[in-house]
Amino acid sequence: MAGWNADTLARHAGTDAITIVEGSSFCASDANGDLVPDLPHGVFFRDTRIVSRLTLLVDGAPIEVLSSMTPEPYRAVIVGRAGHMPGRADTPLIVERDRRIDGGLREQVTLRSYSREPISCHVELLLEADFADIFEVKEGRARGLPRPTTTDAAGRFTIESVGTVDRLGLAVTAPGAAVARDRLAFHVVLPPRGSWSQRIIIAPTLHGEEIAIGAAAEGPLLESTPARRFLAWQSRVPVASVEDDSIERVVVQSQRDLGSLRIFDPKHPERAVVAAGVPWFMALFGRDSLLTSYMALPLDPTLALGTLSTLAELQGTELDVSSEEQPGRILHEVRLGATTNLALGGESVYYGTADATPLFVVVLGELARWGGLPEGTDELLQAADHALAWIERDGDRDGDGFVEYERLNDVGLINQGWKDSWDGVNFADGTLAEAPIALCEVQGYVYAAYNARAFLAESRGDREGAAHWTGKAANLKQRFNEQFWMPDRGYFAIALDRDKRQVDACASNMGHCLWSGIVDDDKARSVADHLLSKQMFTGWGVRTLASDMGAYNPASYHNGSVWPHDNAIVAAGLTRYGFLDEAQRLVVGQFEAANHFGGRLPELFCGFDREEYPEPVLYPASCSPQAWAAAAPFLLLRSVLRFEPSVPTGELWLAPAPPPEFGDIHLRNVPFAGARISLDVARDGTTVSGLPERITVHRSPLAATTTPTRREPS
C-alpha cells in the first residue's frame, strides 16, 4: 500500500466507526453518525474531504447511539435516542439517521416520539468543510479550518474551496430549514406518539456546478445508482453453500465487500476496477488491483479485464523522474484529487513499484486460462510486451538478470514491493537493506510473467515465441535458486541489497515464490517447513516476519503482522507444491480469524501467537473493507479445491482436498469460459456441471512444473 513512506501512521477512526462506500466516494463517521474533524472522519470525494464536521443535535445535545448497521455497503442506519429530558427517567425520543453515499451524501433524519404528550424540540445539523487532502486527514496534518458558507436560498447553502483549480465545493439542501452560517435548524413539534422526518442532501460541486449524486436522489432506495449497481453485481456472482455456516458467512461478506469496492471510469462506465480499500486507498492501485482481480477470477473475471484495460491505458510511455514513470511501466496508484500525491511526486499517477509490471502479464495470462480474454485483445498483448521490455530495460538496472528498485526522487516510496513501508525490508539482525533492492517475490513474478507470455504465445500458435519465453523463465529460475537460496538457513533471502548481499531475514515473501513456481522442487519442503514453523505461523496465519528476527514486532505494519492476501498467496503456493496439510492449516486459520472479525478479513492484523491470546488482535489502522483481503477467501478456497483451468488448451485440473472442517461445498453460477458452471464437493465425490463440451477434466492436481500446451485440432 502507498502512503507508508514516512514515519507516519494512519490514525484510527475509532473502534465503532461506521464506513460506507460507493465507487471512489466514502463516508467515515462515529457510531452515532457524527463526523469529528479531529478524527479521520469525513465525506470524501475525489480524495478530498468535502465534509469535515456533521453533528446532529437535539436540544443542543448529541445523539446517544443504540445501534449502528450497514445493511448495504453504501448505506448506514443509525438508531439512537435524544439526550436526557427533565422529569423523565428515559427519553421518549428515538432518532434514526438513514444515510447513503453516492458521490455526495443524502441523509434522512427521523424523530419518533413515544410520549403520550406533545413534545417540542430544537433540531440542528452542524456542517463544516475543510477540503483537506485525504493524506492530510490520514496523517493528522489537516488544518481543520472550515471554509465560509454562502446562503443561496431558504434551506440551502454552499461552501467552496479556496485556491483549487477545479473550485471543488458542496451544496447543502434541506427544505424548510433555517440556515445560519454552518448549521441547519428546525423547530419540531411532535404530537403524542408522532413522528417527524427531514431529508438532507449534500452534493459536491465543480466550478460552481452541482454534481448529481444519483439518478434518484429523492426516490426509493432500490432506484438509486448504488443500489442498481450492487443488485446487478449480486445477481452475477456465484452462490456458495457450505456445510460450515461460518465459512459461508465469510464468502458472502467477501462478495459484498468486493462489490462495494468497485469504481467506474466515467469514460468507460461499463468497465469496473477494484479500489484498494477503505478509507485511505479508494483508488486504482497497480499491484493491489491486479492481485485482487486475480484472486477474484472465480467470482467475476470482468474485474481482471477492466483492471488490465485501465492499467494498459495508463502504462508509462516516457521517463518522468517526479512520477517515476518509465516506458512500459505499470502504475503504482492513480488518484483523482488535485493535491493528493504531493508526497509521491506531485502527480495524479505515480509509477514507483517494482511488481505491478510483471503482475500485469501474470494476470493477463491467467485471465486467458479462465477463458475470460475476449477476441480482439491485441492491445493488451502489446501492453504485456511493453511491460516485459520494461522488466529487461529499466527494471533490471544493472543487467544482472534480476529486477531491482530504487526510487528516482527524494519523495517517492523507499520500498517498492508489497511491503512498501520504509522499514519493510531488513536483515535478520534488523538492519535495513539499502537500495537498489531485488526482492525475491518480484523475481518470482517475473518468472510467472515469462511463463504467462509463453502460454499466450502458444495459445496463438506461436511456438517460436513460446519457446523464447519458456527459455527465459528457465534461465531465471536457475539463477534465482543459485543466488537467493541460503543453504545454511534453509530458506530464500528476502532480497539482494545494493551490494548483492543476501538479505537474510526469514519472511513470508518466499511463500510468493512457491506460488509463482520459481522454487526448485528440492528446496520447497524446507520453505514450507519454515513458513509453518512456530516462528512464522501464529495459528491464525503466517507472519510477515519470523518472531526470532531483529525487526520483529507483532504490532507493526510489515514486520510481524499477518496479512490475509499474503496468506492466500502462500496457501496457493503450498498447494502448488503438494503440501496439502500445511495449506489446510493455513486456510482454516484464516477463515477462523475472519469470523472473529465479524466474517470480514481486515487488511492485516497483529502477529500475536494464538496461544498467547484467544482471539486475533486487530491492527489499529487496518483498512476494512480492503480489496485483496476481501478477495483472499476466494483464492484460499480455490487452492484447496485445486481448481486450475486452461481453457485455450481445453483442460481443467480439479482435485478438491478441502479441510474436513468445511464439510460439503456447493458453488453455483461460477463464471468459466463464457459459461456458468456448478461445482459440488461432497464426501462421496466431486461433480462439475455446465462445462463447455471442449473442456476435458483431469481428476488429479496440476503439478508445480506443468505448463499446459496447445493441442492441435483433431
Side-chain angles (χ1 to χ4, degrees), residues 50-66:
I50 62 170
V51 179
S52 53
R53 182 188 298 277
L54 188 65
T55 305
L56 179 63
L57 302 174
V58 177
D59 287 337
I63 303 305
E64 177 190 1
V65 65
L66 299 175

Side-chain angles (χ1 to χ4, degrees), residues 159-161 163-170 205-209:
I159 309 176
E160 193 166 286
S161 59
T164 58
V165 175
D166 53 9
R167 286 176 52 207
L168 184 63
L170 71 154
T205 63
L206 288 175
H207 302 289
E209 296 294 326

